[in-house]
């Protein structure tokens, strides 16, 4: 499996879908270093708190608010056998749908999509993370890169979902 | 010491054992509900969460629906959020500002002082129907210390300040970070469940013994970010020598020299070079206001406080308020907030929140491994009938006032108070 290539001059929804499915495959198969390769050099990753999904991480306590440096450390951490929250690793399967291009300006493409991430671990009940993604993608040559990745959880509280110890 | 105790506390043999039944038994939980949660002062919220008249928050406290609000005259109140007519939740919103609370079922209307103001079709009631007596029921006791509001369901509970004992100084140290002495709960709530007994989180919140193993990846993250993580004295498990403190009445704390960053005047590389002058200015303000010694105390110590039974205030990488309630013997609901000085600049606030996420919360670099540990303990405790006792005797070979943060002396403080309230035997 390799990263999808852009062919046309305009990025289409199909291009974006191919890209998101590829990303999902990398995350579900724990190819996290390859996943980091999908990010721009200044990428960020946000999971706002369930009670303030539209807030800004600079004035609101988020669940995750990583710049690229911390994101790389996060990947290092969750791959480490001493990351007990991911030992054994979560098995995940992501369903991504309702993909839309919400804005285009120059090389930057705003994308919205819905997701269900099913997460399984030995001895634990299955957990269903449901929500929507908000991406800012950047076209670099004939490939797309992730500049910002925002995960909005639909649940009112994290509740029985418990943790976000893997990349959601 | 009796064989029928849950806690075997033998100072002579320097041994402290805990019956694992206390973590798995529904009967023990039922007794805790009556002997602990219905008797103690329980944290309900911070004054800043209801800053303006009419502000309200609804939350579940010790299995009761609570309406926490500030009335139109400015007084903070806590009501049982149950309509006097036939019981519906009177206020169904999570938070907001209101002049009146109207029950959705038949439309009874209460004001922010709890008074019943309107009853639709009032002419259908007899002469003894007295609206004056049908207001929202206030919790039996409500009091605050430095804007931390506690309630008690026991009308005869001792006054809050007596109850808090030595924990007051630790709330002071948190509050003094604000030049005006006003701290503020920051927007954004972390609410999550852990499949473990609630008392395991009490222990975990102040257990520094587990850091080198359970939080190895966090230590690596700090190291990779330029923080010096090497113990400076032989025989220590952590970079600095901290203490485990008994604060009286079952309250306890770890109290450690800071070796990582703190948003209050303790720079670390993660904050970036740009932050240095600003943090120096924060330090200057602290010293000018509090004097050198107290400023050092506020800025250069990390303190994890447990106010018995279930309030944790961590003043480390950031300040967190954390409270948790059992839903059954093997599960709890946790709520966590960040706290900061009201006068903080936008840059300082952002740094505080960023620092929070280096360690705490369901997506942090440390908390998930705590949760993993607690859930593994709970599963291991499934063997409680055959493997009956846990050991918490670490540090008993040292005097009480020389307990390290990596000892278990402060954990024993909790258990002694807990078993005192629960009664000697089963
Ligand atoms: S239950 Fe509230 S008005 Fe009837
Ligand atoms: Fe921990």
């Amino acid at each position: 499996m390799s990263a999808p290539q852009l062919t046309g001059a305009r990025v289409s929804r199909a291009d974006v879908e191919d890209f998101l499915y590829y990303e999902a495959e990398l995350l579900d198969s724990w190819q996290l270093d390859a996943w980091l390769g999908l990010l721009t050099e200044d990428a960020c990753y946000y999971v706002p708190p369930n009670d303030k999904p539209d807030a800004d991480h600079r004035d609101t306590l988020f669940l995750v608010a990583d710049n690229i440096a911390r994101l790389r450390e996060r990947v290092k951490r969750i791959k480490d056998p001493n990351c007990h929250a991911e030992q054994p690793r979560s098995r995940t399967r992501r369903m991504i749908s309702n993909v839309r291009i919400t804005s285009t300006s120059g090389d930057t493409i705003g994308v919205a999509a819905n997701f269900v991430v099913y997460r399984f671990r030995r001895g634990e009940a299955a957990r269903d993370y449901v929500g929507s993604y908000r991406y800012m993608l950047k076209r670099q040559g004939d490939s797309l890169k992730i500049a910002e990745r925002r995960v909005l959880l639909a649940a009112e509280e994290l509740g029985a979902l418990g943790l976000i110890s893997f990349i959601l | 010491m009796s064989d029928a105790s849950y806690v075997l506390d033998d100072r002579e043999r320097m041994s402290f054992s805990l019956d694992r039944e206390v973590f798995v038994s529904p009967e023990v939980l039922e007794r805790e509900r009556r002997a602990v949660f219905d008797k103690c002062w329980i944290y309900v919220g911070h004054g800043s969460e209801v800053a303006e008249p009419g502000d309200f928050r609804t939350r579940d406290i010790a299995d009761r629906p609570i309406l926490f609000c500030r009335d139109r005259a400015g007084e903070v109140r806590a009501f049982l959020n149950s309509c006097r007519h036939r019981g519906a939740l009177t206020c169904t919103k999570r938070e907001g500002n209101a002049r009146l609370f109207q029950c959705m079922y038949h439309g009874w209307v209460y004001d922010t002082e709890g008074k019943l103001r309107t009853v639709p079709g009032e002419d259908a009631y007899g002469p003894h129907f007295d609206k004056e007596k049908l207001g929202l029921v206030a919790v039996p006791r409500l009091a605050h210390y430095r804007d931390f509001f506690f309630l008690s369901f026991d009308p005869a509970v001792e006054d809050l300040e007596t109850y808090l004992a030595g924990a007051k100084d630790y709330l002071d140290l948190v509050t003094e970070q604000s030049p005006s002495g006003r701290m503020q709960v920051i927007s954004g709530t972390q609410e999550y469940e852990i499949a473990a007994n609630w008392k395991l989180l009490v222990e975990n919140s102040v257990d520094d013994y587990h850091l080198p193993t359970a939080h190895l990846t966090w230590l690596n993250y700090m190291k990779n970010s330029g923080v010096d993580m090497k113990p400076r004295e032989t025989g220590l498990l952590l970079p600095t020598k901290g203490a485990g403190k008994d604060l009286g009445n079952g309250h306890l704390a770890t109290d450690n020299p800071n070796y990582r960053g703190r948003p209050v005047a303790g720079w670390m590389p993660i904050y970036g070079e740009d932050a240095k002058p600003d943090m120096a200015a924060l330090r200057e303000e602290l010293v000018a206001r509090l004097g050198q010694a107290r400023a050092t105390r506020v800025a250069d110590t990390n303190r994890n406080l447990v106010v018995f039974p279930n309030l944790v205030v961590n003043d480390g990488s950031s300040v967190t308020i954390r409270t948790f309630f059992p839903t059954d013997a093997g599960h709890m609901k946790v709520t966590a907030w960040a706290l900061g000085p009201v006068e903080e600049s936008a840059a300082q606030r952002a740094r505080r929140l960023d620092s929070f996420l280096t360690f705490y919360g369901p997506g942090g670099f440390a908390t998930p491994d705590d949760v993993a540990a607690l859930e593994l303990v709970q599963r291991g405790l499934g063997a409680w009938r055959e493997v009956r006792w846990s050991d918490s005797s670490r540090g008993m070979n040292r005097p009480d006032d020389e307990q390290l943060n990596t000892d278990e002396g402060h954990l024993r403080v909790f258990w002694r108070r807990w078993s005192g309230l629960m009664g000697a035997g089963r």
Side-chain angles (χ1 to χ4, degrees):
Chain A
M1 190 183 56
S2 59
Q5 302 280 299
L6 298 174
T7 46
R10 231 179 103 258
V11 175
S12 68
R13 187 177 70 197
D15 291 326
V16 170
E17 283 173 336
D18 285 345
F19 180 76
L20 295 185
Y21 298 160
Y22 175 64
E23 187 203 17
E25 177 73 31
L26 292 182
L27 289 173
D28 283 343
S29 58
W30 279 82
Q31 297 182 63
L32 299 181
D33 292 318
W35 177 73
L36 283 177
L38 300 183
L39 309 178
T40 63
E41 284 303 306
D42 58 354
C44 22
Y45 166 47
Y46 300 111
V47 185
N50 301 60
D51 64 329
K52 301 279 187 252
D54 301 322
D56 184 322
H57 69 284
R58 286 165 299 190
D59 59 26
T60 295
L61 177 64
F62 272 36
L63 298 167
V64 175
D66 286 352
N67 59 15
I68 189 69
R70 187 148 76 208
L71 202 36
R72 290 182 180 133
E73 288 293 326
R74 180 179 296 279
V75 165
K76 223 179 274 173
R77 170 178 134 72
I78 64 181
K79 280 169 45 191
D80 190 322
N82 290 297
C83 174
H84 311 286
E86 286 300 326
Q87 236 5 272
R89 287 175 173 176
S90 298
R91 294 194 192 189
T92 58
R93 278 300 171 273
R94 296 149 208 264
M95 310 293 153
I96 295 171
S97 70
N98 305 55
V99 177
R100 284 145 292 154
I101 292 178
T102 51
S103 67
T104 310
S105 106
D107 285 340
T108 306
I109 303 133
V111 168
N114 289 355
F115 68 83
V116 181
V117 180
Y118 298 100
R119 185 254 203 184
F120 306 91
R121 274 181 95 211
R122 182 166 168 261
E124 290 181 17
R127 302 180 191 188
D128 307 345
Y129 295 78
V130 179
S132 59
Y133 288 128
R134 298 283 185 275
Y135 284 90
M136 294 307 286
L137 301 178
K138 280 244 158 70
R139 181 177 188 145
Q140 290 183 357
D142 56 6
S143 58
L144 290 170
K145 297 276 181 206
I146 298 166
E148 184 181 307
R149 190 171 187 278
R150 192 175 288 265
V151 180
L152 308 178
L153 288 161
E156 280 276 337
E157 0 176 300
L158 202 53
L161 298 175
L163 295 176
I164 308 178
S165 46
F166 56 96
I167 308 283
L168 196 55
Chain B
M1 192 185 91
S2 125
D3 280 348
S5 295
Y6 291 120
V7 174
L8 301 183
D9 185 2
D10 188 340
R11 287 184 183 257
E12 206 156 300
R13 296 178 58 84
M14 300 178 190
S15 113
F16 192 98
S17 307
L18 199 58
D19 188 337
R20 295 179 173 187
E21 187 180 357
V22 305
F23 297 114
V24 297
S25 154
E27 291 76 37
V28 169
L29 176 61
E30 215 27 63
R31 284 180 50 200
E32 281 173 336
R33 289 189 159 123
R34 292 192 309 272
V36 178
F37 288 98
D38 289 358
K39 287 287 174 199
C40 293
W41 283 102
I42 306 290
Y43 179 73
V44 52
H46 194 266
S48 63
E49 295 179 276
V50 288
E52 301 298 327
D55 282 357
F56 67 85
R57 307 264 174 167
T58 55
R59 46 187 58 150
D60 288 337
I61 305 289
D63 304 313
R64 281 87 157 177
I66 297 292
L67 170 58
F68 179 59
C69 70
R70 193 177 291 268
D71 69 24
R72 305 308 297 188
E75 191 184 330
V76 174
R77 296 175 180 263
F79 301 107
L80 279 311
N81 187 12
S82 179
C83 181
R84 293 298 299 278
H85 178 222
R86 292 204 337 243
L89 282 184
T90 306
C91 176
T92 55
K93 292 200 181 80
R94 176 189 182 95
E95 62 186 276
N97 184 280
R99 194 165 278 280
L100 298 165
F101 300 107
Q102 180 174 33
C103 178
M104 55 66 65
Y105 201 2
H106 312 92
W108 287 26
V109 175
Y110 304 86
D111 65 21
T112 55
E113 288 164 36
K115 285 208 186 76
L116 177 59
R117 295 279 285 267
T118 319
V119 172
E122 208 182 322
D123 53 358
Y125 292 93
H128 299 295
F129 180 84
D130 184 357
K131 285 209 309 234
E132 286 295 312
K133 295 202 175 99
L134 289 169
L136 289 175
V137 175
V139 299
R141 296 284 293 277
L142 179 71
H144 73 103
Y145 183 75
R146 307 212 73 158
D147 242 11
F148 289 82
F149 278 81
F150 295 79
L151 60 73
S152 181
F153 296 108
D154 178 7
V157 70
E158 63 192 323
D159 72 88
L160 178 65
E161 294 209 16
T162 310
Y163 175 87
L164 288 175
K168 283 192 298 183
D169 185 41
Y170 284 74
L171 294 174
D172 291 341
L173 287 168
V174 168
T175 309
E176 284 168 18
Q177 295 171 21
S178 155
S180 63
R182 282 180 307 140
M183 298 292 280
Q184 176 178 51
V185 167
I186 299 168
S187 135
T189 318
Q190 298 184 337
E191 290 169 286
Y192 55 103
E193 294 169 27
I194 303 178
N197 184 271
W198 69 277
K199 299 184 291 301
L200 292 173
L201 185 54
V202 173
E203 295 189 324
N204 172 267
S205 299
V206 286
D207 170 12
D208 280 2
Y209 186 27
H210 75 266
L211 245 99
T213 40
H215 297 309
L216 189 63
T217 62
W218 174 77
L219 296 169
N220 287 339
Y221 167 46
M222 287 290 113
K223 214 183 300 168
N224 297 343
S225 317
V227 177
D228 177 9
M229 303 306 289
K230 273 195 283 305
R232 288 147 181 79
E233 214 180 292
T234 48
L236 294 183
L237 298 170
L238 293 171
T240 47
K241 186 176 189 166
K245 300 269 191 182
D246 178 351
L247 307 179
N249 280 345
H251 316 308
L252 53 121
T254 52
D255 195 330
N256 306 335
N258 173 45
Y259 59 88
R260 57 205 214 224
R262 285 170 55 76
V264 178
W267 184 84
M268 67 171 162
I270 289 173
Y271 298 158
E273 287 295 323
D274 314 351
K276 274 185 170 166
D278 186 34
M279 301 208 71
L282 279 174
R283 168 78 57 162
E284 246 171 70
E285 190 282 327
L286 276 181
V287 173
R289 175 163 50 88
L290 301 172
Q292 187 64 57
R294 187 70 175 174
T296 301
R297 183 86 179 95
V298 168
D300 297 334
T301 53
N302 291 332
R303 291 155 267 103
N304 285 7
L305 167 71
V306 171
V307 175
F308 190 93
N310 69 329
L311 169 66
V312 171
V313 180
N314 289 335
D315 188 351
S317 307
S318 216
V319 183
T320 100
I321 300 177
R322 179 154 80 191
T323 177
F324 39 96
F325 292 97
T327 51
D328 62 44
H331 291 87
M332 73 182 111
K333 278 191 173 194
V334 184
T335 310
W337 300 268
L339 190 73
V342 291
E343 45 279 284
E344 225 162 33
S345 71
Q348 289 162 352
R349 182 55 59 87
R351 195 184 306 134
R352 165 179 303 283
L353 290 168
D354 189 67
S355 196
F356 188 109
L357 298 179
T358 61
F359 194 100
Y360 306 114
F365 276 54
T367 300
D369 294 333
D370 288 312
V371 172
L374 268 48
E375 294 188 342
L376 289 175
V377 169
Q378 194 70 32
R379 283 166 67 186
L381 293 173
W384 71 277
R385 283 189 179 82
E386 292 75 29
V387 191
R388 187 92 191 202
W389 299 93
S390 286
D391 182 274
S392 286
S393 63
R394 193 176 165 79
M396 280 180 101
N397 59 349
R398 266 189 293 275
D400 280 2
D401 56 0
E402 288 174 25
Q403 293 293 306
L404 300 180
N405 57 323
T406 48
D407 289 336
E408 292 167 338
H410 50 297
L411 274 54
R412 294 189 287 277
V413 168
F414 173 84
W415 286 111
R416 287 180 184 129
R417 170 72 167 166
W418 180 89
S419 69
L421 287 171
M422 291 287 282
R426 321 198 143 82

